Amino acid sequence: MPKWTVPLADVVVEEPELQAVIETYKSGWLSMGPRTEELEAAFCAYTGSPYAIATSSCTAALHLICLGAGLGPGDEVIVPSLTFVATVNTVAYTGATPVFADIASMEQPWPTAAEVEPLIGDKTKAIVTMAYGGHPGATAEIAALAEERGVMLLEDAAHGLGGSQAGRALGTWGRAGAYSFFSNKNLPVGEGGLLVTGDAELADRARLLRSHGMTSLSWDRHQGHAQAYDVVAMGFNYRIDEPRAAFVRERLGRLDDDVRRRAQLDVRYRDALSAIGGIEPTAPAGEGQSHAHHLFTAVLDEDRDREAFRNALSAAGIQTSVHYPPAHGFSIYAGDRSLPRTDAYASRAVTLPLFPHMTSDQLVEVVDGTAAALS
Ligand SMILES: *Cc1c(COP(=O)(O)O)cnc(C)c1O
């Protein structure tokens, strides 16, 4: 593995979260318990959502959302293709059929109501949005469409933590939303996730299925609150553990500062790249939108060779990525549906490095490297 001068993403673990983890190990209780409850309460406060359920990953949270929402065979669910494949897999886990929506444009690489509406039919039970790169995108518009057409909105907010629209947190616009604590996300712990919902029934179902469908947790039994348990559904082990819950809880306090630093870098990137031909950043946040700035994404002009561009940056020690190879192109989902804008975007998009502690020198290096590669 090359040692990057400027990695795509980077994590700095600080003293407070290390202390929280050490204290948790010293407490002697490691599996899901009081620290997970504190994390969930903190997320309710942070997002304004009535219920929060922490999980082993965002993928687990999305699966629980799909099950809690009652998705199953015969249902159609409209999903973006330009997303991480877990958005689609978790729908398919339930037996429901993912129906791919194209993106709006190269500047707005997410489906808007115009792409989603024609796909709504008798079998459509839900629409899943994904806050691409942290941008609120068309969340509000699709929420209105979903309401009007009587289908559920579910949110994959893996990129959206820290972002909002009209003051309402991404992840809380639909029936339920999921966040990721994967190591490159805005609130990284390694592996972990969390779902929020305002639907008490969905919350109960998700909590039950998170832990084997059992009616009591080992923590309850340890506390003497329960002696035995019944199993009332075929559940999973999708629990987070206490050290990670404590870590995430501690870091949540710094999330907004981190997002602010990402936002400052985003402004500087846009300013510097505007002087360089051949590359165009994707749209900034619109009116009333607060961007979570998970990624800094841009599109190369059609006549540019992306592989050569990425190789040039790589040779200069700058790591880039592509978000994403579209799901409808993977063997498992390949169908006859053509998504021309998604395909065009996926062949021209590039993600540049972005992380809260990225230095001015590092940003200048990326910009200079970009200018040299496109000159
Ligand atoms: C990272 C990610 C996920 C999955 O998150 P995990 O916590 O790794 O399971 C799902 N959807 C999107 C859009 C992601 O970026």
Side-chain angles (χ1 to χ4, degrees):
M1 202 175 125
K3 182 96 177 74
W4 303 106
T5 320
V6 192
L8 185 71
D10 195 35
V11 185
V12 173
V13 174
E14 296 195 41
E15 211 44 42
E17 56 262 29
L18 280 178
Q19 280 309 320
V21 170
I22 289 167
E23 276 165 34
T24 306
Y25 276 111
K26 285 183 174 168
S27 79
W29 189 265
L30 304 183
S31 69
M32 205 171 70
R35 287 173 172 87
T36 302
E37 282 174 18
E38 275 176 34
L39 171 65
E40 292 171 344
F43 258 79
C44 287
Y46 182 78
T47 62
S49 189
Y51 307 100
I53 295 155
T55 53
S56 51
S57 69
C58 176
T59 304
L62 287 167
H63 188 199
L64 293 177
I65 285 173
C66 291
L67 291 170
L71 300 181
D75 297 329
E76 288 187 355
V77 179
I78 300 169
V79 296
S81 174
L82 192 76
T83 184
F84 182 60
V85 70
T87 316
V88 185
N89 282 345
T90 49
V91 168
Y93 288 168
T94 69
T97 304
V99 176
F100 293 112
D102 207 350
I103 59 171
S105 66
M106 299 303 106
E107 298 74 42
Q108 302 194 314
W110 45 79
T112 64
E115 287 72 42
V116 171
E117 182 152 35
L119 302 176
I120 300 177
D122 294 343
K123 294 181 182 164
T124 307
K125 191 141 175 196
I127 302 165
V128 184
T129 55
M130 195 283 270
Y132 182 83
H135 197 296
T139 305
E141 182 181 297
I142 292 178
L145 173 68
E147 167 100 42
E148 184 192 311
R149 299 296 294 269
V151 300
M152 273 181 279
L153 170 65
L154 307 174
E155 293 177 78
D156 180 344
H159 298 187
L161 185 58
S164 63
Q165 162 107 45
R168 186 166 163 187
L170 298 178
T172 68
W173 281 77
R175 183 74 61 97
Y179 305 110
S180 175
F181 308 135
F182 183 67
S183 58
N184 65 6
K185 298 285 166 45
N186 278 9
L187 207 173
V189 67
E191 301 281 2
L194 181 139
L195 73 89
V196 291
T197 182
D199 180 334
E201 240 176 84
L202 190 153
D204 282 348
R205 189 79 191 153
R207 229 177 254 117
L208 184 73
L209 294 176
R210 171 175 65 176
S211 196
H212 307 288
M214 289 161 65
T215 51
S216 76
L217 296 173
S218 41
W219 173 247
D220 300 326
R221 295 192 297 280
H222 179 73
Q223 295 285 94
H225 294 155
Q227 303 295 336
Y229 59 83
D230 190 13
V231 175
V232 295
M234 197 169 64
F236 310 91
N237 178 355
Y238 280 171
R239 297 181 307 258
I240 198 166
D241 57 35
E242 291 284 274
R244 283 184 293 164
F247 184 105
V248 175
R249 168 74 188 89
E250 187 58 45
R251 270 192 93 111
L252 179 60
R254 284 209 308 281
L255 175 67
D256 286 347
D257 283 341
D258 282 351
V259 172
R260 262 192 292 280
R261 275 193 285 274
R262 289 171 178 272
Q264 287 161 2
L265 292 160
D266 179 282
V267 168
R268 295 188 53 197
Y269 257 137
R270 285 175 193 281
D271 194 40
L273 291 177
S274 66
I276 300 169
I279 187 166
E280 194 62 50
T282 54
E287 188 72 28
Q289 296 187 325
S290 178
H291 199 308
H293 295 291
H294 173 49
L295 302 174
F296 186 83
T297 50
V299 184
L300 295 178
D301 283 359
E302 228 171 334
D303 58 348
R304 301 292 182 158
D305 179 343
R306 183 176 62 187
E307 203 183 325
F309 174 78
R310 294 189 62 203
N311 286 340
L313 287 183
S314 177
I318 299 160
Q319 189 183 19
T320 63
S321 186
V322 172
H323 291 88
Y324 286 94
H328 78 280
F330 292 136
S331 309
I332 185 173
Y333 293 118
D336 48 14
R337 196 167 150 60
S338 119
L339 301 170
R341 291 186 296 275
T342 295
D343 288 333
Y345 180 86
S347 70
R348 292 165 54 190
V350 60
T351 306
L352 299 179
L354 183 67
F355 45 93
H357 52 280
M358 190 175 172
T359 65
S360 292
D361 286 353
Q362 285 178 313
L363 188 128
V364 167
E365 258 182 75
V366 178
V367 170
D368 288 351
T370 299
L374 295 175
S375 66

